[in-house]
Amino acid sequence: SISNSFREFIMKDLKLRSISSIFYVLIMLSALIHPVSFMIVMYISAIIVLVEYGKVLRKDPEHLDYLKRRNEVSPFMNTEFFPICMVSLMGLLPLISGLSFPNMKEGIVVYYMLIILYLIFYPFLLLLLISKRKFYGYYASKAWPIFLLTLSLILLVSSPSLNIDFKKFQMYMIAYLVLIWGIDSAGYFIGLKFGKKKLYESVSPKKTIEGVYGSIIFTLIFGFYLGQFFQIDSLLAIASSLMMCFFAIMGDLIQSKIKRQLKVKDFGNWIKGHGGLFDRLDSIIFSFPFFLLIIIIFENVS
């Protein structure tokens, strides 16, 4: 009976995971029809993610105590309000200003600087992952990871306008999304079937070393065929894919660590048992600036 119950649980989990994955895959792929549609869909997604994060922060006693010590009267103003303003202003700037697609030459340096800024502060997320202290101690705000989250979301929203031909951008994005979803799926199924050794049990109990091996094997195969498809050096394609695999897995772990330190299971309840949009897009959000950097370098070098 225990075995049957476990099998039923796995089948239900797979069904929910499949439904949620198909849902947001279709939305993101359909958004790639036009630069404006992609920006609008990504903007709406960014707002939802920030609101989910903000709701969790506003229910956290330690964060509220931190705001009280600083005499802050509005938790909302100190959580997602300014990030939403930044995403609205900078993410939609190409759309608001009426600049042509896909060549937004004026102001392009600002977005390149955002990528550099994200790269500079990204190690703090890795430190958060390995640190045993809660967000670096008593005097630090639990809201600080939302800064890097906001940078990534701005880049995600504005990405179609960053001086890349949109047809190329479509192909890059489809390849990126397939890679990220493949990494997640391969890791899940291989881990479910063969997983024995935990990767980081205190942060993500379900993630296993065998699952990571599955993700890496998928990435190697994907990288090889990616090189063939784009007619680029196979080693370059494989190396780039492995880099994205690393940051996707790190993004999943980082979000799991944030959830544990905020003492929540999920950031939302859109799909019962599978959390909110932030829980679904964590790998994409935390790896996207690196993906954007890769294609910018590739476009300039080629």
Side-chain angles (χ1 to χ4, degrees), residues 9 21 35 51 103 106 137 165 169 171-172 176 235 261 296:
F9 171 78
S21 297
V51 169
N103 298 313
E106 296 181 11
D165 180 77
F169 178 79
M171 298 305 298
Y172 287 140
Y176 169 67
L235 288 177
Q261 294 200 349
I296 289 173

Side-chain angles (χ1 to χ4, degrees), residues 40-159:
I40 292 174
V41 170
M42 292 303 101
Y43 172 72
I44 295 172
S45 301
I47 299 303
I48 292 172
V49 168
L50 291 172
V51 169
E52 287 178 344
Y53 201 145
K55 282 184 176 181
V56 171
L57 280 171
R58 291 196 301 276
K59 293 179 181 179
D60 183 78
E62 293 179 0
H63 179 65
L64 294 176
D65 183 58
Y66 170 84
L67 295 179
K68 185 178 179 180
R69 295 196 309 271
R70 290 174 55 89
N71 296 318
E72 302 286 356
V73 294
S74 174
F76 174 75
M77 294 292 289
N78 288 275
T79 50
E80 72 265 41
F81 176 73
F82 288 108
I84 287 175
C85 290
M86 290 300 295
V87 171
S88 301
L89 176 63
M90 298 192 68
L92 294 179
L93 181 61
L95 194 59
I96 295 171
S97 60
L99 296 175
S100 60
F101 291 95
N103 298 313
M104 191 191 77
K105 295 181 179 179
E106 296 181 11
I108 197 77
V109 176
V110 175
Y111 294 93
Y112 288 174
M113 289 178 64
L114 290 181
I115 297 176
I116 295 172
L117 195 62
Y118 185 88
L119 298 180
I120 291 173
F121 285 96
Y122 182 80
F124 286 98
L125 287 176
L126 298 181
L127 288 174
L128 172 63
L129 186 60
I130 63 176
S131 174
K132 294 183 179 179
R133 294 183 295 171
K134 291 185 176 181
F135 293 90
Y136 306 114
Y138 181 76
Y139 292 100
S141 170
K142 284 190 173 184
W144 74 260
I146 210 169
F147 167 67
L148 286 166
L149 186 68
T150 302
L151 292 180
S152 181
L153 291 173
I154 291 173
L155 293 169
L156 184 61
V157 174
S158 62
S159 56

Side-chain angles (χ1 to χ4, degrees), residues 208-255:
T208 64
I209 293 177
E210 290 82 2
V212 173
Y213 289 155
S215 296
I216 292 174
I217 291 171
F218 170 83
T219 302
L220 291 172
I221 297 172
F222 179 87
F224 174 78
Y225 284 105
L226 185 69
Q228 301 296 312
F229 181 82
F230 282 105
Q231 296 183 343
I232 59 177
D233 183 74
S234 295
L235 288 177
L236 177 61
I238 291 172
S240 300
S241 298
L242 285 173
M243 184 183 299
M244 297 316 306
C245 179
F246 171 79
F247 289 116
I249 293 173
M250 287 299 104
D252 189 8
L253 290 174
I254 288 167
Q255 202 231 30

Side-chain angles (χ1 to χ4, degrees), residues 14-30 181 184-185 271 280:
L14 287 174
K15 183 178 179 180
L16 288 171
R17 180 177 288 267
S18 299
I19 291 173
S20 63
S21 297
I22 291 171
F23 179 72
Y24 79 80
V25 164
L26 290 176
I27 289 179
M28 294 192 74
L29 290 180
S30 61
W181 294 326
D184 180 60
S185 299
I271 300 174
R280 292 279 77 197

